[in-house]
Short mmCIF file of all heavy atoms in Angstrom, two decimals:
data_model
loop_
_atom_site.label_atom_id
_atom_site.label_comp_id
_atom_site.label_asym_id
_atom_site.label_seq_id
_atom_site.Cartn_x
_atom_site.Cartn_y
_atom_site.Cartn_z
N MET Q 1 0.84 -1.18 -0.01
CA MET Q 1 -0.01 -0.01 0.00
C MET Q 1 0.89 1.24 0.00
O MET Q 1 1.84 1.35 0.76
CB MET Q 1 -0.90 -0.02 1.21
CG MET Q 1 -1.89 1.06 1.24
SD MET Q 1 -3.09 0.72 2.57
CE MET Q 1 -3.95 2.22 2.52
N SER Q 2 0.55 2.19 -0.84
CA SER Q 2 1.35 3.37 -0.96
C SER Q 2 0.96 4.36 0.14
O SER Q 2 -0.17 4.49 0.52
CB SER Q 2 1.06 3.99 -2.34
OG SER Q 2 1.76 5.21 -2.46
N THR Q 3 1.97 5.10 0.61
CA THR Q 3 1.72 6.08 1.64
C THR Q 3 1.61 7.49 1.03
O THR Q 3 1.31 8.42 1.77
CB THR Q 3 2.83 6.08 2.69
OG1 THR Q 3 4.08 6.31 2.04
CG2 THR Q 3 2.88 4.75 3.42
N SER Q 4 1.84 7.61 -0.28
CA SER Q 4 1.74 8.92 -0.90
C SER Q 4 0.28 9.26 -1.18
O SER Q 4 -0.57 8.40 -1.28
CB SER Q 4 2.52 8.94 -2.21
OG SER Q 4 1.98 8.03 -3.11
N THR Q 5 0.02 10.54 -1.26
CA THR Q 5 -1.35 11.03 -1.53
C THR Q 5 -1.60 10.88 -3.03
O THR Q 5 -0.83 11.38 -3.86
CB THR Q 5 -1.49 12.49 -1.12
OG1 THR Q 5 -1.15 12.61 0.26
CG2 THR Q 5 -2.90 12.98 -1.36
N PRO Q 6 -2.70 10.19 -3.42
CA PRO Q 6 -3.00 10.05 -4.85
C PRO Q 6 -3.27 11.39 -5.51
O PRO Q 6 -3.87 12.28 -4.91
CB PRO Q 6 -4.23 9.14 -4.90
CG PRO Q 6 -4.67 8.96 -3.49
CD PRO Q 6 -3.70 9.58 -2.58
N THR Q 7 -2.87 11.50 -6.74
CA THR Q 7 -3.14 12.68 -7.56
C THR Q 7 -3.67 12.25 -8.91
O THR Q 7 -3.45 11.13 -9.33
CB THR Q 7 -1.90 13.58 -7.75
OG1 THR Q 7 -0.91 12.78 -8.44
CG2 THR Q 7 -1.34 14.05 -6.43
N GLY Q 8 -4.34 13.11 -9.59
CA GLY Q 8 -4.84 12.80 -10.94
C GLY Q 8 -6.29 13.21 -11.02
O GLY Q 8 -6.95 13.52 -10.07
N PRO Q 9 -6.83 13.12 -12.26
CA PRO Q 9 -8.17 13.57 -12.47
C PRO Q 9 -9.24 12.69 -11.77
O PRO Q 9 -10.38 13.13 -11.57
CB PRO Q 9 -8.36 13.51 -14.00
CG PRO Q 9 -7.29 12.60 -14.48
CD PRO Q 9 -6.16 12.73 -13.48
N LEU Q 10 -8.91 11.44 -11.39
CA LEU Q 10 -9.86 10.58 -10.72
C LEU Q 10 -9.67 10.46 -9.22
O LEU Q 10 -10.25 9.63 -8.56
CB LEU Q 10 -9.80 9.17 -11.34
CG LEU Q 10 -10.21 9.11 -12.82
CD1 LEU Q 10 -10.13 7.69 -13.34
CD2 LEU Q 10 -11.60 9.67 -13.03
N THR Q 11 -8.83 11.37 -8.69
CA THR Q 11 -8.64 11.40 -7.22
C THR Q 11 -9.97 11.63 -6.55
O THR Q 11 -10.75 12.47 -6.93
CB THR Q 11 -7.66 12.50 -6.82
OG1 THR Q 11 -6.41 12.26 -7.48
CG2 THR Q 11 -7.46 12.55 -5.33
N GLY Q 12 -10.27 10.76 -5.57
CA GLY Q 12 -11.52 10.85 -4.84
C GLY Q 12 -12.59 9.93 -5.36
O GLY Q 12 -13.66 9.76 -4.74
N VAL Q 13 -12.34 9.28 -6.52
CA VAL Q 13 -13.28 8.34 -7.11
C VAL Q 13 -12.90 6.93 -6.62
O VAL Q 13 -11.75 6.54 -6.66
CB VAL Q 13 -13.26 8.39 -8.64
CG1 VAL Q 13 -14.13 7.31 -9.24
CG2 VAL Q 13 -13.66 9.77 -9.13
N ARG Q 14 -13.88 6.16 -6.17
CA ARG Q 14 -13.65 4.82 -5.70
C ARG Q 14 -14.23 3.84 -6.74
O ARG Q 14 -15.39 3.96 -7.13
CB ARG Q 14 -14.26 4.55 -4.33
CG ARG Q 14 -13.99 3.13 -3.84
CD ARG Q 14 -14.30 2.98 -2.41
NE ARG Q 14 -13.28 3.68 -1.67
CZ ARG Q 14 -13.44 4.14 -0.41
NH1 ARG Q 14 -14.57 3.92 0.23
NH2 ARG Q 14 -12.48 4.75 0.22
N ILE Q 15 -13.43 2.87 -7.16
CA ILE Q 15 -13.80 1.89 -8.18
C ILE Q 15 -13.84 0.51 -7.51
O ILE Q 15 -12.93 0.15 -6.80
CB ILE Q 15 -12.78 1.84 -9.33
CG1 ILE Q 15 -12.58 3.20 -9.96
CG2 ILE Q 15 -13.15 0.79 -10.36
CD1 ILE Q 15 -13.75 3.74 -10.70
N LEU Q 16 -14.91 -0.23 -7.76
CA LEU Q 16 -15.02 -1.61 -7.29
C LEU Q 16 -14.74 -2.51 -8.49
O LEU Q 16 -15.54 -2.58 -9.43
CB LEU Q 16 -16.39 -1.88 -6.71
CG LEU Q 16 -16.64 -3.27 -6.16
CD1 LEU Q 16 -15.66 -3.58 -5.00
CD2 LEU Q 16 -18.08 -3.41 -5.70
N ASP Q 17 -13.61 -3.20 -8.46
CA ASP Q 17 -13.19 -4.07 -9.56
C ASP Q 17 -13.62 -5.47 -9.24
O ASP Q 17 -13.02 -6.14 -8.38
CB ASP Q 17 -11.67 -3.99 -9.75
CG ASP Q 17 -11.16 -4.95 -10.84
OD1 ASP Q 17 -11.99 -5.55 -11.56
OD2 ASP Q 17 -9.94 -5.09 -10.93
N ILE Q 18 -14.67 -5.98 -9.92
CA ILE Q 18 -15.15 -7.34 -9.71
C ILE Q 18 -14.90 -8.16 -10.97
O ILE Q 18 -15.50 -9.21 -11.15
CB ILE Q 18 -16.64 -7.37 -9.33
CG1 ILE Q 18 -17.49 -6.67 -10.37
CG2 ILE Q 18 -16.86 -6.74 -7.97
CD1 ILE Q 18 -18.97 -6.82 -10.19
N SER Q 19 -13.96 -7.73 -11.78
CA SER Q 19 -13.68 -8.39 -13.05
C SER Q 19 -12.74 -9.59 -12.80
O SER Q 19 -12.14 -9.75 -11.75
CB SER Q 19 -13.02 -7.41 -13.99
OG SER Q 19 -11.74 -7.01 -13.48
N THR Q 20 -12.67 -10.42 -13.86
CA THR Q 20 -11.71 -11.53 -13.85
C THR Q 20 -10.89 -11.48 -15.14
O THR Q 20 -11.30 -10.85 -16.12
CB THR Q 20 -12.42 -12.89 -13.76
OG1 THR Q 20 -13.30 -13.02 -14.88
CG2 THR Q 20 -13.23 -13.03 -12.47
N ILE Q 21 -9.80 -12.14 -15.08
CA ILE Q 21 -8.84 -12.28 -16.19
C ILE Q 21 -8.31 -10.90 -16.56
O ILE Q 21 -8.17 -10.06 -15.71
CB ILE Q 21 -9.50 -13.04 -17.38
CG1 ILE Q 21 -10.15 -14.36 -16.89
CG2 ILE Q 21 -8.48 -13.40 -18.45
CD1 ILE Q 21 -9.21 -15.35 -16.23
N ILE Q 22 -7.96 -10.64 -17.82
CA ILE Q 22 -7.05 -9.54 -18.12
C ILE Q 22 -7.73 -8.22 -18.38
O ILE Q 22 -7.27 -7.19 -17.83
CB ILE Q 22 -6.19 -9.94 -19.34
CG1 ILE Q 22 -5.32 -11.14 -18.98
CG2 ILE Q 22 -5.31 -8.80 -19.81
CD1 ILE Q 22 -4.55 -11.75 -20.08
N ALA Q 23 -8.74 -8.11 -19.19
CA ALA Q 23 -9.27 -6.81 -19.65
C ALA Q 23 -9.73 -5.94 -18.47
O ALA Q 23 -9.40 -4.71 -18.41
CB ALA Q 23 -10.41 -6.99 -20.63
N GLY Q 24 -10.49 -6.51 -17.56
CA GLY Q 24 -11.01 -5.69 -16.42
C GLY Q 24 -9.86 -5.24 -15.50
O GLY Q 24 -9.85 -4.10 -15.03
N ALA Q 25 -8.94 -6.12 -15.25
CA ALA Q 25 -7.80 -5.75 -14.40
C ALA Q 25 -6.96 -4.65 -15.05
O ALA Q 25 -6.47 -3.75 -14.36
CB ALA Q 25 -6.94 -6.98 -14.11
N THR Q 26 -6.79 -4.73 -16.31
CA THR Q 26 -6.03 -3.69 -17.03
C THR Q 26 -6.74 -2.35 -16.94
O THR Q 26 -6.12 -1.31 -16.68
CB THR Q 26 -5.80 -4.07 -18.52
OG1 THR Q 26 -5.09 -5.32 -18.54
CG2 THR Q 26 -4.99 -3.05 -19.24
N ALA Q 27 -8.04 -2.35 -17.13
CA ALA Q 27 -8.82 -1.14 -17.02
C ALA Q 27 -8.76 -0.54 -15.59
O ALA Q 27 -8.58 0.67 -15.42
CB ALA Q 27 -10.28 -1.35 -17.41
N ALA Q 28 -8.86 -1.40 -14.61
CA ALA Q 28 -8.78 -0.95 -13.20
C ALA Q 28 -7.42 -0.36 -12.92
O ALA Q 28 -7.29 0.62 -12.19
CB ALA Q 28 -9.08 -2.13 -12.27
N THR Q 29 -6.37 -0.96 -13.47
CA THR Q 29 -4.99 -0.42 -13.28
C THR Q 29 -4.89 0.96 -13.88
O THR Q 29 -4.31 1.85 -13.27
CB THR Q 29 -3.99 -1.39 -13.92
OG1 THR Q 29 -4.04 -2.65 -13.26
CG2 THR Q 29 -2.58 -0.82 -13.75
N MET Q 30 -5.46 1.15 -15.07
CA MET Q 30 -5.40 2.50 -15.70
C MET Q 30 -6.16 3.51 -14.90
O MET Q 30 -5.72 4.65 -14.73
CB MET Q 30 -5.93 2.40 -17.12
CG MET Q 30 -4.94 1.74 -18.07
SD MET Q 30 -5.40 1.95 -19.79
CE MET Q 30 -6.30 0.46 -20.05
N LEU Q 31 -7.33 3.13 -14.36
CA LEU Q 31 -8.10 4.05 -13.51
C LEU Q 31 -7.29 4.42 -12.27
O LEU Q 31 -7.31 5.58 -11.85
CB LEU Q 31 -9.46 3.42 -13.15
CG LEU Q 31 -10.40 3.21 -14.30
CD1 LEU Q 31 -11.58 2.33 -13.86
CD2 LEU Q 31 -10.91 4.54 -14.85
N ALA Q 32 -6.61 3.43 -11.69
CA ALA Q 32 -5.75 3.72 -10.51
C ALA Q 32 -4.61 4.66 -10.89
O ALA Q 32 -4.25 5.52 -10.10
CB ALA Q 32 -5.24 2.42 -9.92
N ASP Q 33 -4.05 4.47 -12.08
CA ASP Q 33 -2.97 5.33 -12.54
C ASP Q 33 -3.41 6.79 -12.63
O ASP Q 33 -2.64 7.72 -12.49
CB ASP Q 33 -2.43 4.89 -13.90
CG ASP Q 33 -1.60 3.62 -13.79
OD1 ASP Q 33 -1.20 3.23 -12.68
OD2 ASP Q 33 -1.40 2.98 -14.86
N PHE Q 34 -4.72 6.99 -12.87
CA PHE Q 34 -5.29 8.36 -12.93
C PHE Q 34 -5.82 8.83 -11.59
O PHE Q 34 -6.47 9.85 -11.50
CB PHE Q 34 -6.39 8.40 -13.99
CG PHE Q 34 -5.86 8.50 -15.39
CD1 PHE Q 34 -5.91 7.35 -16.21
CD2 PHE Q 34 -5.33 9.67 -15.89
CE1 PHE Q 34 -5.42 7.40 -17.50
CE2 PHE Q 34 -4.83 9.71 -17.20
CZ PHE Q 34 -4.86 8.58 -17.97
N GLY Q 35 -5.51 8.09 -10.51
CA GLY Q 35 -5.80 8.57 -9.18
C GLY Q 35 -6.98 7.91 -8.47
O GLY Q 35 -7.24 8.21 -7.32
N ALA Q 36 -7.73 7.02 -9.14
CA ALA Q 36 -8.87 6.39 -8.52
C ALA Q 36 -8.41 5.41 -7.44
O ALA Q 36 -7.35 4.82 -7.53
CB ALA Q 36 -9.71 5.65 -9.56
N ASP Q 37 -9.25 5.25 -6.44
CA ASP Q 37 -9.03 4.26 -5.37
C ASP Q 37 -9.72 2.97 -5.83
O ASP Q 37 -10.94 2.92 -5.85
CB ASP Q 37 -9.61 4.79 -4.06
CG ASP Q 37 -9.44 3.80 -2.92
OD1 ASP Q 37 -8.54 2.94 -2.97
OD2 ASP Q 37 -10.26 3.86 -1.98
N VAL Q 38 -8.94 1.95 -6.21
CA VAL Q 38 -9.51 0.71 -6.75
C VAL Q 38 -9.51 -0.38 -5.70
O VAL Q 38 -8.49 -0.66 -5.10
CB VAL Q 38 -8.72 0.27 -8.00
CG1 VAL Q 38 -9.30 -1.07 -8.53
CG2 VAL Q 38 -8.77 1.32 -9.09
N ILE Q 39 -10.68 -0.99 -5.51
CA ILE Q 39 -10.82 -2.09 -4.57
C ILE Q 39 -11.07 -3.34 -5.42
O ILE Q 39 -12.06 -3.42 -6.12
CB ILE Q 39 -11.99 -1.86 -3.60
CG1 ILE Q 39 -11.71 -0.58 -2.81
CG2 ILE Q 39 -12.18 -3.07 -2.70
CD1 ILE Q 39 -12.91 -0.13 -2.02
N LYS Q 40 -10.11 -4.32 -5.35
CA LYS Q 40 -10.23 -5.55 -6.12
C LYS Q 40 -10.95 -6.59 -5.28
O LYS Q 40 -10.56 -6.87 -4.16
CB LYS Q 40 -8.82 -6.03 -6.49
CG LYS Q 40 -8.74 -7.41 -7.07
CD LYS Q 40 -9.04 -7.37 -8.53
CE LYS Q 40 -8.70 -8.77 -9.12
NZ LYS Q 40 -9.42 -8.97 -10.37
N VAL Q 41 -12.02 -7.19 -5.84
CA VAL Q 41 -12.77 -8.21 -5.18
C VAL Q 41 -12.66 -9.48 -6.06
O VAL Q 41 -12.91 -9.40 -7.25
CB VAL Q 41 -14.24 -7.86 -4.99
CG1 VAL Q 41 -15.03 -8.96 -4.35
CG2 VAL Q 41 -14.34 -6.56 -4.19
N GLU Q 42 -12.26 -10.62 -5.45
CA GLU Q 42 -12.12 -11.83 -6.20
C GLU Q 42 -13.15 -12.86 -5.77
O GLU Q 42 -13.78 -12.72 -4.74
CB GLU Q 42 -10.69 -12.39 -6.00
CG GLU Q 42 -9.62 -11.43 -6.52
CD GLU Q 42 -8.26 -12.01 -6.45
OE1 GLU Q 42 -8.08 -13.25 -6.45
OE2 GLU Q 42 -7.27 -11.23 -6.38
N LEU Q 43 -13.27 -13.89 -6.58
CA LEU Q 43 -14.22 -14.97 -6.31
C LEU Q 43 -13.91 -15.64 -4.98
O LEU Q 43 -12.75 -16.02 -4.76
CB LEU Q 43 -14.21 -16.02 -7.41
CG LEU Q 43 -14.65 -15.52 -8.81
CD1 LEU Q 43 -14.34 -16.55 -9.85
CD2 LEU Q 43 -16.15 -15.25 -8.76
N PRO Q 44 -14.87 -15.82 -4.12
CA PRO Q 44 -14.63 -16.45 -2.81
C PRO Q 44 -14.09 -17.90 -3.00
O PRO Q 44 -14.61 -18.67 -3.76
CB PRO Q 44 -15.98 -16.50 -2.12
CG PRO Q 44 -16.79 -15.51 -2.86
CD PRO Q 44 -16.27 -15.41 -4.25
N GLY Q 45 -13.01 -18.18 -2.27
CA GLY Q 45 -12.42 -19.52 -2.28
C GLY Q 45 -11.65 -19.89 -3.51
O GLY Q 45 -11.03 -20.92 -3.59
N ARG Q 46 -11.67 -19.01 -4.53
CA ARG Q 46 -11.01 -19.34 -5.77
C ARG Q 46 -10.06 -18.23 -6.22
O ARG Q 46 -8.96 -18.47 -6.73
CB ARG Q 46 -12.02 -19.58 -6.89
CG ARG Q 46 -11.37 -19.93 -8.16
CD ARG Q 46 -12.35 -20.56 -9.14
NE ARG Q 46 -11.60 -20.83 -10.37
CZ ARG Q 46 -11.76 -20.12 -11.48
NH1 ARG Q 46 -12.62 -19.16 -11.54
NH2 ARG Q 46 -11.05 -20.40 -12.53
N GLY Q 47 -10.47 -17.00 -6.08
CA GLY Q 47 -9.64 -15.87 -6.54
C GLY Q 47 -9.81 -15.64 -8.02
O GLY Q 47 -10.63 -16.26 -8.69
N ASP Q 48 -9.04 -14.72 -8.55
CA ASP Q 48 -9.07 -14.41 -9.96
C ASP Q 48 -8.50 -15.59 -10.77
O ASP Q 48 -7.52 -16.22 -10.34
CB ASP Q 48 -8.21 -13.15 -10.15
CG ASP Q 48 -8.35 -12.54 -11.57
OD1 ASP Q 48 -8.43 -13.32 -12.55
OD2 ASP Q 48 -8.37 -11.32 -11.68
N GLY Q 49 -9.06 -15.86 -11.95
CA GLY Q 49 -8.56 -16.93 -12.78
C GLY Q 49 -7.12 -16.83 -13.20
O GLY Q 49 -6.46 -17.81 -13.48
N LEU Q 50 -6.58 -15.60 -13.20
CA LEU Q 50 -5.18 -15.41 -13.55
C LEU Q 50 -4.25 -16.01 -12.53
O LEU Q 50 -3.08 -16.26 -12.81
CB LEU Q 50 -4.86 -13.93 -13.69
CG LEU Q 50 -5.22 -13.32 -15.03
CD1 LEU Q 50 -4.88 -11.83 -15.03
CD2 LEU Q 50 -4.51 -14.01 -16.18
N ARG Q 51 -4.72 -16.26 -11.33
CA ARG Q 51 -3.88 -16.90 -10.29
C ARG Q 51 -3.47 -18.32 -10.69
O ARG Q 51 -2.46 -18.81 -10.23
CB ARG Q 51 -4.58 -16.89 -8.97
CG ARG Q 51 -4.74 -15.48 -8.37
CD ARG Q 51 -5.34 -15.58 -6.99
NE ARG Q 51 -5.53 -14.31 -6.40
CZ ARG Q 51 -4.62 -13.64 -5.69
NH1 ARG Q 51 -3.43 -14.17 -5.50
NH2 ARG Q 51 -4.87 -12.47 -5.16
N ASP Q 52 -4.25 -18.94 -11.55
CA ASP Q 52 -3.97 -20.31 -11.98
C ASP Q 52 -3.20 -20.39 -13.29
O ASP Q 52 -2.68 -21.43 -13.64
CB ASP Q 52 -5.30 -21.09 -12.18
CG ASP Q 52 -6.12 -21.19 -10.91
OD1 ASP Q 52 -5.48 -21.26 -9.81
OD2 ASP Q 52 -7.37 -21.23 -10.98
N LEU Q 53 -3.10 -19.29 -13.99
CA LEU Q 53 -2.46 -19.30 -15.30
C LEU Q 53 -0.95 -19.22 -15.19
O LEU Q 53 -0.39 -18.33 -14.57
CB LEU Q 53 -2.98 -18.06 -16.09
CG LEU Q 53 -2.66 -17.99 -17.56
CD1 LEU Q 53 -3.35 -19.14 -18.32
CD2 LEU Q 53 -3.08 -16.66 -18.13
N PRO Q 54 -0.25 -20.21 -15.79
CA PRO Q 54 1.21 -20.16 -15.77
C PRO Q 54 1.73 -19.00 -16.59
O PRO Q 54 0.99 -18.52 -17.45
CB PRO Q 54 1.63 -21.51 -16.35
CG PRO Q 54 0.45 -22.18 -16.81
CD PRO Q 54 -0.77 -21.38 -16.46
N PRO Q 55 2.94 -18.58 -16.40
CA PRO Q 55 3.99 -19.17 -15.57
C PRO Q 55 3.90 -18.69 -14.12
O PRO Q 55 3.33 -17.62 -13.83
CB PRO Q 55 5.27 -18.68 -16.23
CG PRO Q 55 4.94 -17.34 -16.77
CD PRO Q 55 3.47 -17.47 -17.22
N HIS Q 56 4.48 -19.48 -13.26
CA HIS Q 56 4.59 -19.15 -11.82
C HIS Q 56 6.08 -19.12 -11.47
O HIS Q 56 6.88 -19.83 -12.07
CB HIS Q 56 3.92 -20.23 -10.96
CG HIS Q 56 2.44 -20.23 -11.12
ND1 HIS Q 56 1.79 -20.86 -12.13
CD2 HIS Q 56 1.47 -19.70 -10.34
CE1 HIS Q 56 0.49 -20.71 -11.99
NE2 HIS Q 56 0.26 -19.99 -10.91
N LYS Q 57 6.42 -18.27 -10.55
CA LYS Q 57 7.79 -18.24 -10.03
C LYS Q 57 7.70 -18.25 -8.52
O LYS Q 57 7.04 -17.36 -7.92
CB LYS Q 57 8.54 -16.97 -10.51
CG LYS Q 57 9.98 -16.95 -10.01
CD LYS Q 57 10.71 -15.77 -10.52
CE LYS Q 57 12.14 -15.86 -9.96
NZ LYS Q 57 12.94 -14.75 -10.41
N ASP Q 58 8.36 -19.20 -7.90
CA ASP Q 58 8.34 -19.39 -6.45
C ASP Q 58 6.89 -19.46 -5.93
O ASP Q 58 6.59 -18.89 -4.90
CB ASP Q 58 9.11 -18.27 -5.74
CG ASP Q 58 10.57 -18.21 -6.16
OD1 ASP Q 58 11.13 -19.29 -6.43
OD2 ASP Q 58 11.14 -17.12 -6.25
N GLY Q 59 6.01 -20.09 -6.69
CA GLY Q 59 4.63 -20.24 -6.31
C GLY Q 59 3.75 -19.05 -6.55
O GLY Q 59 2.57 -19.07 -6.26
N GLU Q 60 4.29 -17.95 -7.09
CA GLU Q 60 3.54 -16.75 -7.36
C GLU Q 60 3.16 -16.69 -8.83
O GLU Q 60 4.00 -16.84 -9.72
CB GLU Q 60 4.39 -15.50 -7.01
CG GLU Q 60 4.69 -15.37 -5.52
CD GLU Q 60 3.45 -15.06 -4.70
OE1 GLU Q 60 2.56 -14.33 -5.20
OE2 GLU Q 60 3.34 -15.60 -3.59
N PRO Q 61 1.89 -16.41 -9.16
CA PRO Q 61 1.44 -16.33 -10.57
C PRO Q 61 1.92 -15.01 -11.17
O PRO Q 61 1.53 -13.93 -10.75
CB PRO Q 61 -0.07 -16.38 -10.45
CG PRO Q 61 -0.38 -15.90 -9.08
CD PRO Q 61 0.78 -16.26 -8.21
N LEU Q 62 2.75 -15.10 -12.19
CA LEU Q 62 3.34 -13.88 -12.77
C LEU Q 62 2.35 -13.03 -13.54
O LEU Q 62 2.37 -11.80 -13.48
CB LEU Q 62 4.51 -14.27 -13.66
CG LEU Q 62 5.66 -14.97 -12.94
CD1 LEU Q 62 6.79 -15.33 -13.93
CD2 LEU Q 62 6.19 -14.12 -11.79
N TRP Q 63 1.43 -13.65 -14.29
CA TRP Q 63 0.43 -12.87 -15.03
C TRP Q 63 -0.47 -12.08 -14.08
O TRP Q 63 -0.87 -10.96 -14.36
CB TRP Q 63 -0.44 -13.73 -15.94
CG TRP Q 63 0.24 -14.00 -17.25
CD1 TRP Q 63 0.65 -15.23 -17.72
CD2 TRP Q 63 0.62 -13.03 -18.22
NE1 TRP Q 63 1.21 -15.07 -18.95
CE2 TRP Q 63 1.23 -13.73 -19.28
CE3 TRP Q 63 0.53 -11.65 -18.34
CZ2 TRP Q 63 1.75 -13.11 -20.42
CZ3 TRP Q 63 1.01 -11.03 -19.44
CH2 TRP Q 63 1.60 -11.74 -20.46
N TRP Q 64 -0.82 -12.68 -12.93
CA TRP Q 64 -1.65 -11.95 -12.00
C TRP Q 64 -0.91 -10.74 -11.45
O TRP Q 64 -1.51 -9.65 -11.32
CB TRP Q 64 -2.07 -12.87 -10.83
CG TRP Q 64 -3.06 -12.24 -9.92
CD1 TRP Q 64 -4.40 -12.23 -10.07
CD2 TRP Q 64 -2.80 -11.50 -8.73
NE1 TRP Q 64 -5.01 -11.53 -9.05
CE2 TRP Q 64 -4.03 -11.06 -8.23
CE3 TRP Q 64 -1.68 -11.15 -8.07
CZ2 TRP Q 64 -4.14 -10.32 -7.09
CZ3 TRP Q 64 -1.76 -10.38 -6.91
CH2 TRP Q 64 -3.01 -9.99 -6.43
N LYS Q 65 0.36 -10.88 -11.18
CA LYS Q 65 1.15 -9.76 -10.68
C LYS Q 65 1.26 -8.63 -11.72
O LYS Q 65 1.22 -7.45 -11.39
CB LYS Q 65 2.55 -10.22 -10.25
CG LYS Q 65 2.54 -10.97 -8.96
CD LYS Q 65 4.01 -11.29 -8.59
CE LYS Q 65 4.09 -11.72 -7.17
NZ LYS Q 65 4.33 -10.64 -6.25
N VAL Q 66 1.38 -8.99 -12.97
CA VAL Q 66 1.51 -8.02 -14.04
C VAL Q 66 0.24 -7.21 -14.22
O VAL Q 66 0.25 -6.00 -14.29
CB VAL Q 66 1.90 -8.70 -15.37
CG1 VAL Q 66 1.76 -7.75 -16.56
CG2 VAL Q 66 3.33 -9.21 -15.31
N THR Q 67 -0.92 -7.89 -14.24
CA THR Q 67 -2.17 -7.19 -14.55
C THR Q 67 -2.83 -6.59 -13.32
O THR Q 67 -3.67 -5.70 -13.47
CB THR Q 67 -3.20 -8.18 -15.21
OG1 THR Q 67 -3.43 -9.24 -14.35
CG2 THR Q 67 -2.67 -8.66 -16.51
N ASN Q 68 -2.53 -7.06 -12.12
CA ASN Q 68 -3.20 -6.51 -10.97
C ASN Q 68 -2.24 -5.71 -10.14
O ASN Q 68 -2.52 -5.20 -9.13
CB ASN Q 68 -3.81 -7.66 -10.14
CG ASN Q 68 -4.99 -8.25 -10.85
OD1 ASN Q 68 -6.04 -7.67 -10.96
ND2 ASN Q 68 -4.84 -9.46 -11.37
#
């Protein structure tokens, strides 16, 4: 979590990201880059489908890290 104060045209806007896989996560990332506060919600007990998609390094899903 960042300790800096967000800046940008979407500062003060809260986004609820309930998407899965790549497109939604990419859009949420761009909104966050413009200052929005993005809350990522994943499927209970399963998480985002990208968590299962290889490649993994040290047990961590690399695609999930890139997109989220």
